[in-house]
Amino acid sequence: MCGIVGYLGEREAYPVLLKGLKRLEYRGYDSAGMALLNPRGELSIYKTKGKVAGLESFVNGQDMSGSNGIAHTRWATHGEPCTENAHPHASPSGRLALVHNGIIENYATLKNKLQAKGYAFRSSTDTEVLVYLIEYIQQKEHTDLLTAVQLALRVVVGAYAIAVIDREHPDMIVAARKSSPLVVGIGEEEFFLASDATPLVEYTKKMVYLKDEEVAVLQRGKELRIVDLHNIQTTPEIQEVEMDLTQLEKGGFPHFMLKEIFDQPDCISDCMRGRIQPAEMRVFLSAVEEHKERLLQARRYVIIACGTSWHAALIGKQLIEHFCRIPVEVAYASEFRYAEPVIGAEDVVIAISQSGETADTLAAVEQAKRQGAFIYGICNNVGSSIARATHTGSYIHVGPEVGVASTKAFTGQVTVLTLLALTLSREKKTMDDQLFEKIIRELSLIPGKMKQLLTLNESIAALAPIFTYARNFIYLGRGYSYPVALEGALKLKEISYIHAEGYPAAEMKHGPIALIDAEMPVVVIAVRDGLYEKVLSNIQEIKARQGKIIALVTEGDTEVTRLADYCITLPPTLECLEPLIASIPLQLLAYHIAVCKGKNVDQPRNLAKSVTVE
Ligand code: M6R
């Protein structure tokens, strides 16, 4: 979690670092800080608890000159969020400053050893131990900064992306990574550094994604040098990264989350572009084309993911099983990695991750790879760790998602899973032509139907204040709508802090029905599908216990509409595509309830966009 930025060149570093921190704030916002080497050769550190805006006010009026600097926005792991624990951390003499994203697992052992040598620590972080260790090595071994960093990292256990600057070497930044992302941007006579490409794209398209245990040496007037921990040099692999800057701004919306909800019709069109050809009744995914045999011969598929991506996985399971008759299991990546999974060369593992950096998903991918499985990634962030760790995959192409609550990534993931299931079904000949054509035709209408749905924004906003009283919510759905209910509940709890549970509607009578009373809002996805009548009975059961029913119904519905307290009417679609439609009003409902409750929807408490720790 945590975001790192660095700059070395001819410009003033401060504005570059500040803007970069704002772009990376989705990675954590417990504290923010910056270290600058000024023209007088002084190393100054500025840091505050809280958000980047707080740092900006804190440094207002201070001398922020310097063309070499590093900065950090924190999601606390070791040590509470406070100024002392904020990064950058200084070495004991104040000569070095270091920023870190990750966890130094053996920090306690290292700290004890350094304390035994007389060092006193100022923070309770694992990171401070690393900067102390680097300076200790510099002094003991009389080494330069690069060697000291390499030697220190050789004894570190854990995950890191770090950047270090040294008062004695003002023209240099040393950066390194293992299991946490780090990108170097190469400009004309200048270098940029960040946890992802978003802070860099406005300065350069040339990016180098560091690999595990690589150390980058950024030096004024020299080419980028990449070495490993034993100083073996490699040639930097420069990639051209294109990103539309307007996608990184709010575009007139009050929050990124609302903008991203409204982005969905375009995102889904982008996601399908070139992949579905309704005129030719063809679906094309290059990954399937290239690895057809391996994908078709699989004994079974296992989908691994976390959070919202796991909900998309549950929909993917239904799609692949229904369309292709291939057995599919879905596992939380965090459980899978420690479960001694029975997995091998006959299996295909699909890893779903918006960020492509989720530590548990990445570790699960590595585990499955070691056991011989073929890995298919479904990611959003191009060039991310998971995208690079997989054998093949399909990007969802929905553009950067900044709001911590995932919205457009979810519908993008479901779209790619639909395309994957359709492509495989074609190859396996498990779906008749008529149904295939019907699904493709309907899929191409989904962006238009999403646009239609977004006109409900105001009526859903009007509904939201009625429910701010609630301390609990229940979300119900069946079949394809069950994961949508889970996702609706997750959206509500993460941004409004209202406890919400998603259930398969028929499960309610096995326990949760005990919770229903006149205070309990129950959101029911009651669209016209094969299970409509069953869901209708569930609604009757809630009604009989005075629960407040908010129903998602299909245009033309009369039966549920008669029973429900509030209805949100959806355009009709095919059952298998319903998640792409029904999830949008639930995103809007969660958003407006959170706004009514005065919550920070883009940066909810305790959360970070990219969970790069276990
Ligand atoms: O980047 P990933 O898709 O791997 O992230 C997984 C979860 O951390 C993420 O979906 C999380 O649950 C979101 N905050 C949900 O809105």
Side-chain angles (χ1 to χ4, degrees):
M1 331 269 268
C2 303
I4 289 178
V5 203
Y7 176 76
L8 176 68
E10 298 305 320
R11 315 172 193 237
E12 285 298 313
Y14 172 67
V16 178
L17 297 177
L18 189 73
K19 205 167 189 185
L21 284 185
K22 288 183 179 165
R23 290 257 158 86
L24 292 183
E25 207 166 16
Y26 72 87
R27 301 178 69 88
Y29 30 81
D30 288 332
S31 62
M34 198 176 285
L36 291 170
L37 272 162
N38 71 23
R40 297 176 298 285
E42 294 156 349
L43 174 58
S44 310
I45 295 182
Y46 313 85
K47 50 191 193 178
T48 51
K49 182 178 173 204
K51 302 210 160 91
V52 177
L55 176 70
E56 196 174 3
S57 324
F58 173 68
V59 301
N60 191 15
Q62 301 197 49
D63 173 17
M64 300 300 284
S65 59
S67 53
N68 182 358
I70 54 176
H72 188 270
T73 180
R74 179 171 188 244
W75 185 81
T77 56
H78 293 57
E80 58 166 316
C82 61
T83 304
E84 295 71 42
N85 289 337
H87 301 216
H89 287 283
S91 62
S93 73
R95 168 185 169 172
L96 307 178
L98 178 145
V99 289
H100 168 223
N101 168 30
I103 291 180
I104 311 294
E105 287 171 12
N106 59 340
Y107 85 101
T109 315
L110 297 171
K111 191 170 185 173
N112 287 341
K113 284 188 185 159
L114 289 164
Q115 278 169 330
K117 293 183 194 306
Y119 286 102
F121 287 84
R122 305 164 187 127
S123 80
S124 38
T125 64
D126 50 338
T127 304
E128 196 182 21
V129 177
L130 182 56
V131 71
Y132 274 45
L133 180 63
I134 295 170
E135 186 175 280
Y136 169 72
I137 294 171
Q138 270 185 324
Q139 289 171 349
K140 184 164 168 268
E141 309 284 338
H142 304 289
T143 60
D144 58 18
L145 177 63
L146 170 63
T147 314
V149 168
Q150 288 167 315
L151 290 172
L153 293 179
R154 276 154 67 173
V155 298
V156 155
V157 177
Y160 54 79
I162 59 161
V164 198
I165 53 175
D166 183 347
R167 203 170 49 201
E168 308 297 318
H169 297 285
D171 293 327
M172 179 188 271
I173 299 178
V174 173
R177 77 151 263 175
K178 184 182 178 194
S179 304
S180 294
L182 202 54
V183 192
V184 180
I186 304 175
E188 293 293 326
E189 307 287 317
E190 58 186 351
F191 292 110
F192 305 85
L193 190 69
S195 299
D196 70 33
T198 55
L200 315 183
V201 280
E202 65 192 273
Y203 308 107
T204 179
K205 288 192 171 87
K206 288 189 193 167
M207 311 279 174
V208 175
Y209 289 86
L210 294 191
K211 302 196 182 82
D212 273 354
E213 302 203 337
E214 280 187 345
V215 184
V217 184
L218 285 50
Q219 217 168 342
R220 214 185 289 278
K222 296 206 175 156
E223 300 275 297
L224 172 68
R225 190 149 66 97
I226 308 272
V227 290
D228 70 7
L229 298 186
H230 299 274
N231 216 28
I232 299 188
Q233 192 158 334
T234 49
T235 311
E237 275 174 42
I238 301 175
Q239 297 186 22
E240 296 263 323
V241 174
E242 299 278 354
M243 208 179 274
D244 179 357
L245 273 179
T246 55
Q247 292 184 320
L248 301 173
E249 312 294 345
K250 281 189 207 150
F253 286 91
H255 298 99
F256 279 109
M257 182 179 173
L258 190 61
K259 171 187 178 275
E260 288 161 5
I261 293 172
F262 272 78
D263 276 349
Q264 288 175 105
D266 290 340
C267 291
I268 298 313
S269 297
D270 289 345
C271 178
M272 294 193 289
R273 183 158 301 123
R275 290 169 164 172
I276 89 165
Q277 287 125 15
E280 290 146 49
M281 287 303 146
R282 189 162 175 257
V283 183
F284 176 82
L285 284 179
S286 53
V288 176
E289 195 57 31
E290 284 160 26
H291 300 276
K292 210 178 277 180
E293 273 179 36
R294 188 68 188 74
L295 293 168
L296 294 176
Q297 281 162 8
R299 171 180 66 167
R300 60 163 184 173
Y301 283 22
V302 178
I303 316 184
I304 50 174
C306 302
T308 287
S309 301
W310 185 80
H311 296 153
L314 294 177
I315 296 166
K317 171 186 163 71
Q318 297 188 47
L319 290 165
I320 297 171
E321 289 189 340
H322 291 165
F323 293 4
C324 319
R325 311 311 297 158
I326 300 172
V328 183
E329 285 172 27
V330 176
Y332 283 116
S334 53
E335 291 296 314
F336 177 91
R337 61 184 291 196
Y338 292 115
E340 295 182 35
V342 183
I343 200 120
E346 316 77 28
D347 301 310
V348 166
V349 167
I350 302 178
I352 308 180
S353 173
Q354 185 285 130
S355 62
E357 302 295 346
T358 299
D360 284 320
T361 311
L362 183 57
V365 163
E366 300 295 357
Q367 171 79 24
K369 237 163 105 177
R370 277 196 295 279
Q371 292 182 218
F374 183 76
I375 322 286
Y376 193 113
I378 297 181
C379 296
N380 189 29
N381 279 350
V382 176
S384 55
S385 303
I386 293 170
R388 282 179 291 123
T390 50
H391 294 116
T392 190
S394 306
Y395 285 112
I396 60 174
H397 293 310
V398 298
E401 192 181 62
V402 179
V404 164
S406 193
T407 51
K408 61 179 182 174
F410 175 70
T411 45
Q413 290 163 345
V414 173
T415 304
V416 165
L417 287 161
T418 310
L419 298 177
L420 177 62
L422 283 170
T423 319
L424 292 171
S425 77
R426 216 54 187 158
E427 299 295 340
K428 279 189 83 90
K429 305 197 182 357
T430 42
M431 187 185 283
D432 68 51
D433 288 355
Q434 262 187 333
L435 180 59
F436 185 82
E437 288 182 22
K438 201 171 161 190
I439 297 175
I440 298 200
R441 203 167 289 122
E442 182 61 20
L443 201 49
S444 64
L445 298 179
I446 291 290
K449 293 193 176 181
M450 284 179 161
K451 272 195 188 134
Q452 185 186 337
L453 268 169
L454 289 167
T455 61
L456 296 177
N457 183 41
E458 282 183 14
S459 54
I460 294 175
L463 204 58
I466 304 170
F467 294 102
T468 47
Y469 76 87
R471 295 175 62 86
N472 298 287
F473 255 76
I474 291 179
Y475 283 70
L476 300 176
R478 293 190 74 165
Y480 283 104
S481 297
Y482 161 54
V484 178
L486 293 179
E487 176 59 8
L490 177 64
K491 286 292 85 88
L492 185 73
K493 65 185 136 191
E494 71 181 326
I495 59 171
S496 71
Y497 318 144
I498 296 173
H499 172 246
E501 293 292 338
Y503 284 99
E507 266 300 297
M508 202 186 52
K509 58 186 170 295
H510 298 289
I513 199 163
L515 298 169
I516 310 273
D517 61 16
E519 297 281 285
M520 178 66 89
V522 186
V523 177
V524 190
I525 305 163
V527 290
R528 268 265 166 220
D529 60 17
L531 293 165
Y532 176 81
E533 299 297 336
K534 311 268 178 206
V535 175
L536 193 61
S537 309
N538 299 136
I539 289 176
Q540 299 275 20
E541 290 155 15
I542 302 162
K543 192 82 191 154
R545 289 154 183 88
Q546 280 91 46
K548 294 279 164 290
I549 298 162
I550 306 157
L552 268 56
V553 297
T554 311
E555 265 167 31
D557 179 276
T558 50
E559 289 170 89
V560 173
T561 306
R562 197 167 31 82
L563 292 172
D565 296 275
Y566 308 92
C567 276
I568 299 173
T569 305
L570 313 183
T573 190
L574 297 176
E575 193 168 338
C576 60
L577 303 182
E578 201 65 71
L580 294 171
I581 295 295
S583 52
I584 291 183
L586 299 188
Q587 295 166 352
L588 286 171
L589 183 67
Y591 169 81
H592 286 294
I593 291 178
V595 169
C596 283
K597 288 179 73 86
K599 304 300 178 202
N600 184 342
V601 286
D602 281 337
Q603 296 176 336
R605 71 184 180 204
N606 306 337
L607 289 175
K609 183 75 186 156
S610 187
V611 186
T612 56
V613 293
E614 278 200 55

PDB file of all heavy atoms in Angstrom, residues 175-202:
ATOM      1  N   ALA A 175      17.210   3.285  -5.790  1.00  0.00           N
ATOM      2  CA  ALA A 175      15.869   2.717  -5.568  1.00  0.00           C
ATOM      3  C   ALA A 175      15.934   1.211  -5.789  1.00  0.00           C
ATOM      4  O   ALA A 175      16.780   0.733  -6.543  1.00  0.00           O
ATOM      5  CB  ALA A 175      14.883   3.346  -6.548  1.00  0.00           C
ATOM      6  N   ALA A 176      15.041   0.477  -5.132  1.00  0.00           N
ATOM      7  CA  ALA A 176      15.051  -0.984  -5.301  1.00  0.00           C
ATOM      8  C   ALA A 176      13.668  -1.533  -5.028  1.00  0.00           C
ATOM      9  O   ALA A 176      12.862  -0.870  -4.360  1.00  0.00           O
ATOM     10  CB  ALA A 176      16.047  -1.591  -4.317  1.00  0.00           C
ATOM     11  N   ARG A 177      13.418  -2.721  -5.545  1.00  0.00           N
ATOM     12  CA  ARG A 177      12.124  -3.339  -5.256  1.00  0.00           C
ATOM     13  C   ARG A 177      12.217  -4.847  -5.065  1.00  0.00           C
ATOM     14  O   ARG A 177      13.092  -5.513  -5.630  1.00  0.00           O
ATOM     15  CB  ARG A 177      11.100  -3.053  -6.345  1.00  0.00           C
ATOM     16  CG  ARG A 177      11.266  -3.862  -7.603  1.00  0.00           C
ATOM     17  CD  ARG A 177       9.945  -4.080  -8.324  1.00  0.00           C
ATOM     18  NE  ARG A 177       9.373  -5.377  -7.986  1.00  0.00           N
ATOM     19  CZ  ARG A 177       8.193  -5.798  -8.386  1.00  0.00           C
ATOM     20  NH1 ARG A 177       7.409  -5.022  -9.088  1.00  0.00           N
ATOM     21  NH2 ARG A 177       7.752  -7.004  -8.074  1.00  0.00           N
ATOM     22  N   LYS A 178      11.278  -5.336  -4.246  1.00  0.00           N
ATOM     23  CA  LYS A 178      10.995  -6.775  -4.158  1.00  0.00           C
ATOM     24  C   LYS A 178       9.537  -6.898  -3.711  1.00  0.00           C
ATOM     25  O   LYS A 178       9.180  -6.415  -2.636  1.00  0.00           O
ATOM     26  CB  LYS A 178      11.919  -7.439  -3.145  1.00  0.00           C
ATOM     27  CG  LYS A 178      11.729  -8.939  -3.106  1.00  0.00           C
ATOM     28  CD  LYS A 178      12.608  -9.585  -2.086  1.00  0.00           C
ATOM     29  CE  LYS A 178      12.341 -11.067  -2.054  1.00  0.00           C
ATOM     30  NZ  LYS A 178      12.935 -11.669  -0.870  1.00  0.00           N
ATOM     31  N   SER A 179       8.733  -7.472  -4.545  1.00  0.00           N
ATOM     32  CA  SER A 179       7.307  -7.731  -4.271  1.00  0.00           C
ATOM     33  C   SER A 179       6.451  -6.477  -4.103  1.00  0.00           C
ATOM     34  O   SER A 179       5.269  -6.585  -3.794  1.00  0.00           O
ATOM     35  CB  SER A 179       7.121  -8.607  -3.033  1.00  0.00           C
ATOM     36  OG  SER A 179       7.839  -9.788  -3.180  1.00  0.00           O
ATOM     37  N   SER A 180       6.999  -5.296  -4.194  1.00  0.00           N
ATOM     38  CA  SER A 180       6.192  -4.066  -4.200  1.00  0.00           C
ATOM     39  C   SER A 180       6.593  -3.311  -5.455  1.00  0.00           C
ATOM     40  O   SER A 180       7.776  -3.280  -5.795  1.00  0.00           O
ATOM     41  CB  SER A 180       6.492  -3.194  -2.975  1.00  0.00           C
ATOM     42  OG  SER A 180       6.087  -3.857  -1.820  1.00  0.00           O
ATOM     43  N   PRO A 181       5.632  -2.690  -6.128  1.00  0.00           N
ATOM     44  CA  PRO A 181       5.951  -2.129  -7.448  1.00  0.00           C
ATOM     45  C   PRO A 181       6.778  -0.846  -7.407  1.00  0.00           C
ATOM     46  O   PRO A 181       6.676  -0.059  -6.467  1.00  0.00           O
ATOM     47  CB  PRO A 181       4.570  -1.840  -8.026  1.00  0.00           C
ATOM     48  CG  PRO A 181       3.685  -1.658  -6.844  1.00  0.00           C
ATOM     49  CD  PRO A 181       4.227  -2.511  -5.756  1.00  0.00           C
ATOM     50  N   LEU A 182       7.573  -0.653  -8.449  1.00  0.00           N
ATOM     51  CA  LEU A 182       8.348   0.579  -8.593  1.00  0.00           C
ATOM     52  C   LEU A 182       8.660   0.790 -10.074  1.00  0.00           C
ATOM     53  O   LEU A 182       9.115  -0.126 -10.762  1.00  0.00           O
ATOM     54  CB  LEU A 182       9.643   0.467  -7.781  1.00  0.00           C
ATOM     55  CG  LEU A 182      10.322   1.777  -7.387  1.00  0.00           C
ATOM     56  CD1 LEU A 182       9.378   2.723  -6.659  1.00  0.00           C
ATOM     57  CD2 LEU A 182      11.524   1.497  -6.490  1.00  0.00           C
ATOM     58  N   VAL A 183       8.406   2.008 -10.543  1.00  0.00           N
ATOM     59  CA  VAL A 183       8.617   2.333 -11.952  1.00  0.00           C
ATOM     60  C   VAL A 183       9.559   3.527 -12.041  1.00  0.00           C
ATOM     61  O   VAL A 183       9.391   4.503 -11.305  1.00  0.00           O
ATOM     62  CB  VAL A 183       7.286   2.761 -12.636  1.00  0.00           C
ATOM     63  CG1 VAL A 183       7.434   2.806 -14.151  1.00  0.00           C
ATOM     64  CG2 VAL A 183       6.141   1.882 -12.232  1.00  0.00           C
ATOM     65  N   VAL A 184      10.515   3.458 -12.958  1.00  0.00           N
ATOM     66  CA  VAL A 184      11.394   4.601 -13.209  1.00  0.00           C
ATOM     67  C   VAL A 184      10.952   5.230 -14.523  1.00  0.00           C
ATOM     68  O   VAL A 184      10.779   4.534 -15.525  1.00  0.00           O
ATOM     69  CB  VAL A 184      12.874   4.161 -13.326  1.00  0.00           C
ATOM     70  CG1 VAL A 184      13.772   5.373 -13.579  1.00  0.00           C
ATOM     71  CG2 VAL A 184      13.321   3.413 -12.080  1.00  0.00           C
ATOM     72  N   GLY A 185      10.745   6.544 -14.524  1.00  0.00           N
ATOM     73  CA  GLY A 185      10.425   7.276 -15.753  1.00  0.00           C
ATOM     74  C   GLY A 185      11.692   7.963 -16.231  1.00  0.00           C
ATOM     75  O   GLY A 185      12.376   8.621 -15.441  1.00  0.00           O
ATOM     76  N   ILE A 186      11.990   7.805 -17.517  1.00  0.00           N
ATOM     77  CA  ILE A 186      13.218   8.401 -18.045  1.00  0.00           C
ATOM     78  C   ILE A 186      12.863   9.597 -18.909  1.00  0.00           C
ATOM     79  O   ILE A 186      12.177   9.470 -19.929  1.00  0.00           O
ATOM     80  CB  ILE A 186      14.011   7.367 -18.877  1.00  0.00           C
ATOM     81  CG1 ILE A 186      14.292   6.137 -18.010  1.00  0.00           C
ATOM     82  CG2 ILE A 186      15.318   7.966 -19.400  1.00  0.00           C
ATOM     83  CD1 ILE A 186      14.952   5.006 -18.743  1.00  0.00           C
ATOM     84  N   GLY A 187      13.293  10.792 -18.481  1.00  0.00           N
ATOM     85  CA  GLY A 187      13.061  12.007 -19.267  1.00  0.00           C
ATOM     86  C   GLY A 187      14.353  12.466 -19.903  1.00  0.00           C
ATOM     87  O   GLY A 187      15.346  11.735 -19.923  1.00  0.00           O
ATOM     88  N   GLU A 188      14.340  13.712 -20.447  1.00  0.00           N
ATOM     89  CA  GLU A 188      15.565  14.299 -21.013  1.00  0.00           C
ATOM     90  C   GLU A 188      16.376  14.819 -19.841  1.00  0.00           C
ATOM     91  O   GLU A 188      15.955  15.761 -19.174  1.00  0.00           O
ATOM     92  CB  GLU A 188      15.196  15.476 -21.931  1.00  0.00           C
ATOM     93  CG  GLU A 188      14.444  15.093 -23.196  1.00  0.00           C
ATOM     94  CD  GLU A 188      15.290  14.277 -24.149  1.00  0.00           C
ATOM     95  OE1 GLU A 188      16.511  14.520 -24.223  1.00  0.00           O
ATOM     96  OE2 GLU A 188      14.731  13.363 -24.788  1.00  0.00           O
ATOM     97  N   GLU A 189      17.490  14.232 -19.553  1.00  0.00           N
ATOM     98  CA  GLU A 189      18.355  14.688 -18.461  1.00  0.00           C
ATOM     99  C   GLU A 189      17.640  14.696 -17.110  1.00  0.00           C
ATOM    100  O   GLU A 189      17.945  15.523 -16.254  1.00  0.00           O
ATOM    101  CB  GLU A 189      18.863  16.122 -18.723  1.00  0.00           C
ATOM    102  CG  GLU A 189      19.538  16.334 -20.068  1.00  0.00           C
ATOM    103  CD  GLU A 189      20.908  15.686 -20.121  1.00  0.00           C
ATOM    104  OE1 GLU A 189      21.649  15.805 -19.131  1.00  0.00           O
ATOM    105  OE2 GLU A 189      21.224  15.041 -21.137  1.00  0.00           O
ATOM    106  N   GLU A 190      16.637  13.850 -16.941  1.00  0.00           N
ATOM    107  CA  GLU A 190      15.963  13.794 -15.642  1.00  0.00           C
ATOM    108  C   GLU A 190      15.339  12.408 -15.449  1.00  0.00           C
ATOM    109  O   GLU A 190      15.074  11.688 -16.411  1.00  0.00           O
ATOM    110  CB  GLU A 190      14.887  14.887 -15.517  1.00  0.00           C
ATOM    111  CG  GLU A 190      13.808  14.834 -16.576  1.00  0.00           C
ATOM    112  CD  GLU A 190      12.831  16.002 -16.518  1.00  0.00           C
ATOM    113  OE1 GLU A 190      12.864  16.783 -15.557  1.00  0.00           O
ATOM    114  OE2 GLU A 190      12.015  16.116 -17.453  1.00  0.00           O
ATOM    115  N   PHE A 191      15.148  12.078 -14.183  1.00  0.00           N
ATOM    116  CA  PHE A 191      14.536  10.790 -13.829  1.00  0.00           C
ATOM    117  C   PHE A 191      13.349  11.028 -12.904  1.00  0.00           C
ATOM    118  O   PHE A 191      13.365  11.947 -12.080  1.00  0.00           O
ATOM    119  CB  PHE A 191      15.529   9.917 -13.068  1.00  0.00           C
ATOM    120  CG  PHE A 191      16.684   9.442 -13.882  1.00  0.00           C
ATOM    121  CD1 PHE A 191      17.956   9.952 -13.643  1.00  0.00           C
ATOM    122  CD2 PHE A 191      16.523   8.490 -14.877  1.00  0.00           C
ATOM    123  CE1 PHE A 191      19.046   9.511 -14.383  1.00  0.00           C
ATOM    124  CE2 PHE A 191      17.602   8.038 -15.618  1.00  0.00           C
ATOM    125  CZ  PHE A 191      18.861   8.553 -15.378  1.00  0.00           C
ATOM    126  N   PHE A 192      12.363  10.166 -13.053  1.00  0.00           N
ATOM    127  CA  PHE A 192      11.199  10.172 -12.169  1.00  0.00           C
ATOM    128  C   PHE A 192      11.078   8.755 -11.614  1.00  0.00           C
ATOM    129  O   PHE A 192      11.546   7.791 -12.233  1.00  0.00           O
ATOM    130  CB  PHE A 192       9.928  10.517 -12.946  1.00  0.00           C
ATOM    131  CG  PHE A 192      10.025  11.813 -13.696  1.00  0.00           C
ATOM    132  CD1 PHE A 192      10.603  11.858 -14.971  1.00  0.00           C
ATOM    133  CD2 PHE A 192       9.560  12.974 -13.135  1.00  0.00           C
ATOM    134  CE1 PHE A 192      10.698  13.038 -15.666  1.00  0.00           C
ATOM    135  CE2 PHE A 192       9.655  14.171 -13.828  1.00  0.00           C
ATOM    136  CZ  PHE A 192      10.229  14.214 -15.098  1.00  0.00           C
ATOM    137  N   LEU A 193      10.390   8.670 -10.503  1.00  0.00           N
ATOM    138  CA  LEU A 193      10.267   7.372  -9.843  1.00  0.00           C
ATOM    139  C   LEU A 193       8.889   7.330  -9.194  1.00  0.00           C
ATOM    140  O   LEU A 193       8.465   8.329  -8.611  1.00  0.00           O
ATOM    141  CB  LEU A 193      11.348   7.338  -8.751  1.00  0.00           C
ATOM    142  CG  LEU A 193      11.646   6.063  -8.019  1.00  0.00           C
ATOM    143  CD1 LEU A 193      12.310   5.075  -8.971  1.00  0.00           C
ATOM    144  CD2 LEU A 193      12.610   6.366  -6.875  1.00  0.00           C
ATOM    145  N   ALA A 194       8.201   6.221  -9.279  1.00  0.00           N
ATOM    146  CA  ALA A 194       6.899   6.158  -8.590  1.00  0.00           C
ATOM    147  C   ALA A 194       6.430   4.717  -8.450  1.00  0.00           C
ATOM    148  O   ALA A 194       6.939   3.814  -9.122  1.00  0.00           O
ATOM    149  CB  ALA A 194       5.853   6.963  -9.353  1.00  0.00           C
ATOM    150  N   SER A 195       5.435   4.539  -7.575  1.00  0.00           N
ATOM    151  CA  SER A 195       4.868   3.197  -7.345  1.00  0.00           C
ATOM    152  C   SER A 195       4.065   2.717  -8.543  1.00  0.00           C
ATOM    153  O   SER A 195       3.890   1.516  -8.721  1.00  0.00           O
ATOM    154  CB  SER A 195       3.956   3.219  -6.128  1.00  0.00           C
ATOM    155  OG  SER A 195       4.686   3.575  -4.998  1.00  0.00           O
ATOM    156  N   ASP A 196       3.493   3.640  -9.307  1.00  0.00           N
ATOM    157  CA  ASP A 196       2.909   3.242 -10.593  1.00  0.00           C
ATOM    158  C   ASP A 196       3.123   4.387 -11.572  1.00  0.00           C
ATOM    159  O   ASP A 196       3.681   5.433 -11.205  1.00  0.00           O
ATOM    160  CB  ASP A 196       1.432   2.829 -10.462  1.00  0.00           C
ATOM    161  CG  ASP A 196       0.491   3.970 -10.161  1.00  0.00           C
ATOM    162  OD1 ASP A 196       0.736   5.105 -10.613  1.00  0.00           O
ATOM    163  OD2 ASP A 196      -0.521   3.730  -9.474  1.00  0.00           O
ATOM    164  N   ALA A 197       2.698   4.168 -12.797  1.00  0.00           N
ATOM    165  CA  ALA A 197       3.063   5.125 -13.847  1.00  0.00           C
ATOM    166  C   ALA A 197       2.261   6.431 -13.792  1.00  0.00           C
ATOM    167  O   ALA A 197       2.646   7.408 -14.437  1.00  0.00           O
ATOM    168  CB  ALA A 197       2.867   4.451 -15.207  1.00  0.00           C
ATOM    169  N   THR A 198       1.182   6.480 -12.998  1.00  0.00           N
ATOM    170  CA  THR A 198       0.295   7.651 -13.084  1.00  0.00           C
ATOM    171  C   THR A 198       0.979   8.989 -12.756  1.00  0.00           C
ATOM    172  O   THR A 198       0.649   9.993 -13.379  1.00  0.00           O
ATOM    173  CB  THR A 198      -0.987   7.480 -12.229  1.00  0.00           C
ATOM    174  OG1 THR A 198      -0.599   7.186 -10.896  1.00  0.00           O
ATOM    175  CG2 THR A 198      -1.861   6.378 -12.760  1.00  0.00           C
ATOM    176  N   PRO A 199       1.932   9.062 -11.806  1.00  0.00           N
ATOM    177  CA  PRO A 199       2.557  10.372 -11.572  1.00  0.00           C
ATOM    178  C   PRO A 199       3.584  10.737 -12.651  1.00  0.00           C
ATOM    179  O   PRO A 199       4.074  11.854 -12.681  1.00  0.00           O
ATOM    180  CB  PRO A 199       3.278  10.198 -10.227  1.00  0.00           C
ATOM    181  CG  PRO A 199       2.789   8.929  -9.657  1.00  0.00           C
ATOM    182  CD  PRO A 199       2.362   8.080 -10.801  1.00  0.00           C
ATOM    183  N   LEU A 200       3.922   9.785 -13.507  1.00  0.00           N
ATOM    184  CA  LEU A 200       5.025   9.993 -14.446  1.00  0.00           C
ATOM    185  C   LEU A 200       4.559  10.347 -15.849  1.00  0.00           C
ATOM    186  O   LEU A 200       5.298  10.981 -16.602  1.00  0.00           O
ATOM    187  CB  LEU A 200       5.896   8.722 -14.531  1.00  0.00           C
ATOM    188  CG  LEU A 200       6.269   8.021 -13.210  1.00  0.00           C
ATOM    189  CD1 LEU A 200       7.189   6.849 -13.484  1.00  0.00           C
ATOM    190  CD2 LEU A 200       6.940   8.986 -12.252  1.00  0.00           C
ATOM    191  N   VAL A 201       3.331   9.938 -16.198  1.00  0.00           N
ATOM    192  CA  VAL A 201       2.919  10.007 -17.606  1.00  0.00           C
ATOM    193  C   VAL A 201       2.915  11.414 -18.196  1.00  0.00           C
ATOM    194  O   VAL A 201       3.041  11.577 -19.398  1.00  0.00           O
ATOM    195  CB  VAL A 201       1.534   9.357 -17.854  1.00  0.00           C
ATOM    196  CG1 VAL A 201       1.654   7.873 -17.931  1.00  0.00           C
ATOM    197  CG2 VAL A 201       0.529   9.771 -16.798  1.00  0.00           C
ATOM    198  N   GLU A 202       2.759  12.428 -17.338  1.00  0.00           N
ATOM    199  CA  GLU A 202       2.755  13.755 -17.945  1.00  0.00           C
ATOM    200  C   GLU A 202       4.155  14.268 -18.250  1.00  0.00           C
ATOM    201  O   GLU A 202       4.303  15.286 -18.913  1.00  0.00           O
ATOM    202  CB  GLU A 202       1.994  14.744 -17.077  1.00  0.00           C
ATOM    203  CG  GLU A 202       2.584  15.020 -15.741  1.00  0.00           C
ATOM    204  CD  GLU A 202       1.569  15.772 -14.901  1.00  0.00           C
ATOM    205  OE1 GLU A 202       1.523  17.008 -14.982  1.00  0.00           O
ATOM    206  OE2 GLU A 202       0.803  15.082 -14.210  1.00  0.00           O
TER     207      GLU A 202
END
